[in-house]
Amino acid sequence: MFKKYRVVALVAGLALGGLALTDLAMAHHAMGGKTPQDWVGGLLSGLAHPLIGLDHLSFVVAIGLVSVGQWRGFLLPVAFSLGAIVGTGGYLQGWDLPGAEVMISASVVVFGLILAIKYRLDDLVNSGLGTGILAAMGAIAGLCHGYAYGEAIVGAGMMPLVAYLLGFSVTQLAIALGVYGLVARLGGLSRWLGLAGLAIAGLGVSFVWQAVTGA
């Protein structure tokens, strides 16, 4: 019976991802495509950015869930957010990161699968070594997500830029740490994390398809 639930979770994730494909282009235009001109616009754009792109939001939720039961699990969302700040800075400095959208989508698949199997790898993932590896993976994913975020702030002044970085960091940390804290407190939900991981991985597959084909 539980195997049937796994299939349902994966298919549900694929289906939801399919419905979201046409909306992913919005992920880089929180202010309707306009560059923020003041700190208020920068802050609002930053706060909204992780929410309006389902690929970004899915990853933020995934890393929060992966952190549950982890030794010092809060480090994973922090590493991701720091990586995103560096990625945005890199975009503004002219870094060339080919295939960033594909890597963003792939990160959703990878962390969904990690979530789906992590409780079969308890000796690794629930140790300090596991936390270090996952935090490093989260930081690398953050570089890609932050690189994509950078498109919305090109040409902005220093104050809007700082507010933008602060805004998306606050949103990401609030969601990821909120998910982490809530699920950890409601311990009975832990047995459903594998199913959640499969659903997230299914979403990620849809995102990869859209990024590769432009569908």
Side-chain angles (χ1 to χ4, degrees):
M1 180 65 71
F2 195 68
K3 289 183 178 180
K4 291 182 180 180
Y5 284 136
R6 291 180 180 179
V7 174
V8 170
L10 182 58
V11 172
L14 286 166
L16 183 57
L19 292 173
L21 292 182
T22 56
D23 295 328
L24 288 180
M26 292 180 59
H28 302 158
H29 301 285
M31 301 298 289
K34 298 180 180 179
T35 300
Q37 299 299 315
D38 53 30
W39 71 269
V40 175
L43 182 63
L44 292 176
S45 181
L47 289 171
H49 229 74
L51 298 174
I52 62 175
L54 189 56
D55 49 352
H56 297 300
L57 179 59
S58 297
F59 185 86
V60 173
V61 172
I63 200 168
L65 291 174
V66 169
S67 302
V68 176
Q70 194 71 30
W71 180 80
R72 296 188 178 178
F74 66 89
L75 293 174
L76 275 62
V78 170
F80 169 69
S81 292
L82 291 175
I85 291 173
V86 173
T88 298
Y91 183 93
L92 298 177
Q93 291 298 314
W95 289 4
D96 183 20
L97 188 60
E101 290 296 336
V102 174
M103 288 188 283
I104 289 169
S105 301
S107 72
V108 179
V109 178
V110 170
F111 269 73
L113 293 176
I114 289 173
L115 181 61
I117 66 174
K118 78 186 290 280
Y119 287 99
R120 296 189 179 187
L121 302 172
D122 283 347
D123 290 341
L124 172 63
V125 299
N126 292 332
S127 67
L129 174 62
T131 297
I133 293 173
L134 292 174
M137 293 175 65
I140 293 171
L143 286 174
C144 300
H145 286 255
Y147 185 87
Y149 289 166
E151 181 181 345
I153 201 68
V154 171
M158 181 58 67
M159 285 302 294
L161 173 60
V162 172
Y164 180 73
L165 296 174
L166 176 63
F168 76 64
S169 296
V170 167
T171 296
Q172 289 178 159
L173 287 172
I175 294 172
L177 293 177
V179 167
Y180 164 62
L182 178 62
V183 177
R185 183 175 293 273
L186 301 175
L189 294 178
S190 296
R191 63 195 178 104
W192 298 103
L193 291 183
L195 294 176
L198 287 175
I200 290 170
L203 272 172
V205 171
S206 297
F207 300 151
V208 171
W209 175 259
Q210 191 271 346
V212 171
T213 65

